[in-house]
Amino acid sequence: MLCNLCPRNCNIDRNVSVGYCKMSEQVKISRAALHFWEEPCISGEEGSGTVFFSGCNMGCVFCQNQDISHIGFGKTITLDRLSDIYLELQNKKANNINLVTPTHYSVQIAKSIIMAREKGLNIPIVYNTSSYEKVEAIENLDGLVDVYLPDFKYIDRETAKKYSFCYDYPEVAKKAIDAMVRQVGKCVFDDNGIIQKGVIVRVLVLPNQTEQTKKIIEYLYKTYKDDIYISIMSQYTPCTNLDKYPEINRKITSKEYDEVVDYAVDIGVENGFIQEGESASESFIPPFNLQGV
């Protein structure tokens, strides 16, 4: 079967070759462990049961996880093993199963969730995505995913093309996020403040991009008001060679971040998360060492 699962529309047989994502049909992951650096309502005190998938359909030039997203480090596993990994994380008291960069494996993931639930999985599933998704792919996850954790990377097409080689990203992301909100509705939290259902949109502040970031936040708030949460992230870290992109070859300044946060407050955003302190650090990037695989 030819793969046109994501907007790249590679139209290739991933049983024979690999797509833009650099992955075949077989699931490959690099890490499965408790993760404590997500939003408080996801990590909590027990941690988020995070599964990092190898490969990516975006290929951003500034990716912090290039070892797995660009180079493709990881181990190939069966769907049965993947479902067992979810259960192992649940047994470690994870608040949820957090699927990172899942887009190119969404069909296999859907099957693995069904398998895991038949084995006793009963904690929320978090779908942690770039938002470069087809609406049909999101709709196929209805009833399987509880929480969507999408990025909204760009609202300007030229910027999307420059840094992620996808001119159509703004339109695609808007439609994908809209499908997510329609599917799971407003955010619901348990008595401990851990999210059980809903959408949290992540907005990463890039250097020299504060105006674009403000436009993203404005769009999200005007469109969804308090039906979603907006997570404004300051953790941008240039971990790779960005000599060709000198304008983003640095961490953001406190002034840039504060300007964006102040803007969000000024327009009325109340349901949100901000990062405080030194979040832009390579120490916040987990080791991709096949732990839990």
Side-chain angles (χ1 to χ4, degrees):
M1 184 174 181
L2 301 182
C3 185
N4 292 296
L5 184 61
C6 85
R8 296 289 183 188
N9 290 317
C10 294
N11 202 39
I12 56 98
D13 185 347
R14 284 171 60 191
N15 285 306
V16 177
S17 184
V18 298
Y20 188 95
C21 61
K22 298 182 174 64
M23 292 292 119
S24 71
E25 281 286 301
Q26 293 182 296
V27 172
K28 193 176 186 183
I29 68 174
S30 62
R31 178 181 173 87
L34 295 177
H35 193 60
F36 297 90
W37 303 326
E38 307 286 39
E39 286 77 2
C41 66
I42 294 175
S43 290
E45 294 184 0
E46 295 81 8
S48 178
T50 308
V51 180
F52 288 89
F53 291 90
S54 304
C56 180
N57 73 324
M58 281 288 283
C60 305
V61 298
F62 53 80
C63 182
Q64 295 180 345
N65 299 341
Q66 288 209 13
D67 286 350
I68 60 173
S69 63
H70 290 207
I71 299 173
F73 173 78
K75 179 181 178 181
T76 300
I77 60 172
T78 65
L79 294 189
D80 188 54
R81 174 59 190 146
L82 182 58
S83 66
D84 284 343
I85 286 172
Y86 301 158
L87 294 167
E88 289 167 8
L89 291 168
Q90 177 174 273
N91 290 338
K92 292 179 180 178
K93 308 301 181 184
N95 288 310
N96 42 61
I97 301 301
N98 186 351
L99 308 171
V100 181
T101 320
T103 307
H104 50 297
Y105 287 129
S106 64
V107 172
Q108 296 93 327
I109 285 170
K111 294 176 181 177
S112 71
I113 294 170
I114 293 170
M115 293 170 65
R117 286 182 174 169
E118 290 174 348
K119 296 176 183 179
L121 183 71
N122 57 21
I123 56 177
I125 299 291
V126 178
Y127 194 81
N128 190 334
T129 171
S130 68
S131 295
Y132 201 51
E133 304 263 4
K134 286 187 174 180
V135 169
E136 306 95 286
I138 300 301
E139 290 175 342
N140 288 336
L141 296 168
D142 192 6
L144 299 175
V145 169
D146 304 286
V147 178
Y148 283 99
L149 187 60
D151 295 333
F152 198 140
K153 294 180 180 291
Y154 319 102
I155 204 163
D156 173 71
R157 301 182 86 190
E158 291 296 338
T159 309
K161 181 180 179 181
K162 184 175 185 179
Y163 299 138
S164 298
F165 316 103
C166 47
Y167 196 77
D168 59 346
Y169 179 87
E171 295 81 11
V172 169
K174 287 178 181 179
K175 291 177 182 177
I177 292 171
D178 200 51
M180 296 172 195
V181 176
R182 287 198 309 269
Q183 187 179 115
V184 298
K186 294 183 179 182
C187 293
V188 176
F189 303 86
D190 68 11
D191 293 340
N192 295 315
I194 302 300
I195 191 167
Q196 303 297 299
K197 183 180 178 183
V199 178
I200 301 173
V201 183
R202 287 176 162 176
V203 182
L204 177 65
V205 184
L206 297 176
N208 296 302
Q209 293 291 332
T210 54
E211 292 308 311
Q212 179 169 190
T213 306
K214 290 177 189 177
K215 290 179 182 178
I216 292 172
I217 294 170
E218 180 182 24
Y219 167 78
L220 291 170
Y221 185 64
K222 283 186 175 180
T223 305
Y224 302 109
K225 293 296 182 181
D226 294 327
D227 287 351
I228 66 169
Y229 275 66
I230 300 173
S231 181
I232 305 174
M233 307 180 76
S234 64
Q235 68 187 51
Y236 176 80
T237 307
C239 298
T240 57
N241 186 351
L242 291 174
D243 290 345
K244 294 181 180 179
Y245 310 93
E247 71 280 4
I248 61 169
N249 194 17
R250 62 169 175 83
K251 298 177 183 180
I252 66 167
T253 65
S254 297
K255 181 180 178 181
E256 286 173 312
Y257 187 66
D258 290 345
E259 180 182 335
V260 171
V261 171
D262 289 345
Y263 177 78
V265 172
D266 288 344
I267 66 172
V269 175
E270 294 183 355
N271 289 352
F273 298 96
I274 62 173
Q275 291 182 317
E276 297 178 349
E278 182 59 30
S279 59
S281 169
E282 291 187 34
S283 66
F284 280 77
I285 303 171
F288 301 117
N289 55 8
L290 302 182
Q291 180 179 346
V293 179

